[in-house]
Amino acid sequence: MTRAESTRVLVIEDLVAGYGDTMILDGISLAVDPGEIVVVLGATGSGKSTLLRCIVGLVEAWQGRVLIGGRDINAASGVGREEILRGVGLAFQEAALLNSMTTAENVALPIMEHWEVDEPTALMLARMRLARVGLAGAGDKMPAELSGGMRKRAGIARAIALEPRLLLLDEPTAGLDPTTARAIDELVLGLKARGDMGIVAVTHELGSINTIADRAVMLATGTVIASGTLAEVRADPDPRVQAFFRRELLPQAARKNLVDDLEWRA
Ligand SMILES: Nc1ncnc2c1ncn2[C@@H]1O[C@H](COP(=O)(O)OP(=O)(O)OP(=O)(O)O)[C@@H](O)[C@H]1O
Ligand SMILES: [Mg+2]
């Protein structure tokens, strides 16, 4: 392992993965440093969520390496694997809170599972995480009583429950009104400001991309078709990249066709 690999929060090398016999990711490489937000872009179905699932071992890699803090998740098993995964938080695309328990209990769940603390302590820590995402006071609500934006925040609170070095966010602002979306972008920037956490955010919201991205990676047909700083990716001549960013210049009516076109290409 090179020195650079061990200091990075995430290194993915030539990752190949899929479901059943269907390959979805065909040789993906990317790296994330502490204090950095890498945005993953790509049309619907291009494999963004699958990539995040591979990082946390929910989808097995067929080939390639996923190093978290320099440690290979696929080479580890049992306690070693659990220890690596404790350092990663994933906020799912659908917040995926358990409806039978309160919001605070949802956030306390990973804390009780992985840290040796009693329930009152876990709930206290959970309320601290909820406060950090602007949900102080919502801990006793059931998930069904939360708005869409609040559910997204609660999902992020659960993802940061164990103070991970690597935070994965799947569409944190999709489907939210612009004000709520901006508030979540600010929250993500606040988490980054701690400096020791690396963040991978999947998003197709141009507002979010412009606000939070230090670097961007664009996926299509299972491969990385562009990567670099946001300015570099924006300047990439690949027509799929250009179509993605041109949306912001087009009137609303023309956008849908372009998005359909992008989906068709994927
Ligand atoms: N559990 C699964 N079993 C089989 N195929 C799946 C599964 N989950 C996703 N797929 C397929 O993998 C491909 C990539 O899906 P994925 O959810 O990773 O895309 P995405 O880029 O996150 O899309 P979106 O922007 O719509 O969230 C799609 O063709 C999808 O149908
Ligand atoms: Mg997805």
Side-chain angles (χ1 to χ4, degrees):
M1 191 196 310
T2 64
R3 186 179 163 77
E5 275 183 0
S6 64
T7 57
R8 301 192 118 153
V9 288
L10 175 68
V11 175
I12 297 178
E13 277 177 4
D14 209 17
L15 176 67
V16 180
Y19 303 96
D21 295 334
T22 311
M23 183 172 65
I24 305 295
L25 304 175
D26 182 12
I28 303 284
S29 297
L30 75 95
V32 182
D33 287 325
E36 179 180 55
I37 299 177
V38 174
V39 163
V40 177
L41 315 174
T44 183
S46 59
K48 306 179 298 294
S49 296
T50 302
L51 175 63
L52 297 190
R53 285 184 213 123
C54 277
I55 297 171
V56 296
L58 288 173
V59 170
E60 209 177 318
W62 295 357
Q63 269 178 55
R65 297 202 302 164
V66 176
L67 306 178
I68 295 168
R71 298 167 72 188
D72 189 337
I73 172 80
N74 296 308
S77 59
V79 177
R81 184 181 164 97
E82 241 180 60
E83 209 177 280
I84 299 171
L85 289 178
R86 223 178 290 156
V88 187
L90 168 59
F92 290 90
Q93 190 161 0
E94 310 304 336
L97 302 167
L98 299 175
N99 286 320
S100 57
M101 46 177 84
T102 67
T103 303
E105 285 167 349
N106 265 281
V107 177
L109 211 57
I111 299 175
M112 298 220 316
E113 200 178 317
H114 292 284
W115 289 354
E116 284 178 11
V117 296
D118 56 22
E119 191 171 356
T121 309
L123 282 169
M124 185 196 70
L125 292 170
R127 286 177 202 285
M128 287 167 65
R129 308 294 185 259
L130 285 168
R132 203 143 138 224
V133 302
L135 285 184
D140 292 331
K141 288 192 192 299
M142 301 304 281
E145 298 175 287
L146 302 179
S147 70
M150 290 166 89
R151 264 199 292 278
K152 292 263 190 200
R153 283 167 182 270
I156 296 173
R158 188 183 49 190
I160 61 170
L162 301 175
E163 307 200 310
R165 294 281 319 280
L166 174 62
L167 176 63
L168 311 174
L169 303 170
D170 201 346
E171 303 277 11
T173 58
L176 302 178
D177 69 80
T179 310
T180 309
R182 285 300 75 75
I184 290 194
D185 288 339
E186 290 303 322
L187 160 64
V188 174
L189 287 172
L191 292 172
K192 166 190 147 157
R194 293 193 342 178
D196 58 350
M197 187 191 274
I199 300 176
V200 179
V202 166
T203 177
H204 59 258
E205 303 286 317
L206 289 163
S208 290
I209 296 165
N210 291 327
T211 308
I212 66 173
D214 292 310
R215 287 191 298 117
V217 170
M218 184 151 181
L219 306 186
T221 56
T223 61
V224 173
I225 57 164
S227 72
T229 63
L230 189 55
E232 285 166 350
V233 172
R234 270 179 183 285
D236 194 291
D238 187 306
R240 293 165 294 185
V241 179
Q242 288 309 308
F244 183 88
F245 284 104
R246 264 204 322 272
R247 289 179 303 163
E248 66 195 306
L249 303 174
L250 295 173
Q252 201 67 38
R255 281 188 191 173
K256 178 146 183 18
N257 293 337
L258 241 183
V259 171
D260 288 346
D261 183 41
L262 266 171
E263 289 176 2
W264 178 79
R265 283 166 198 261

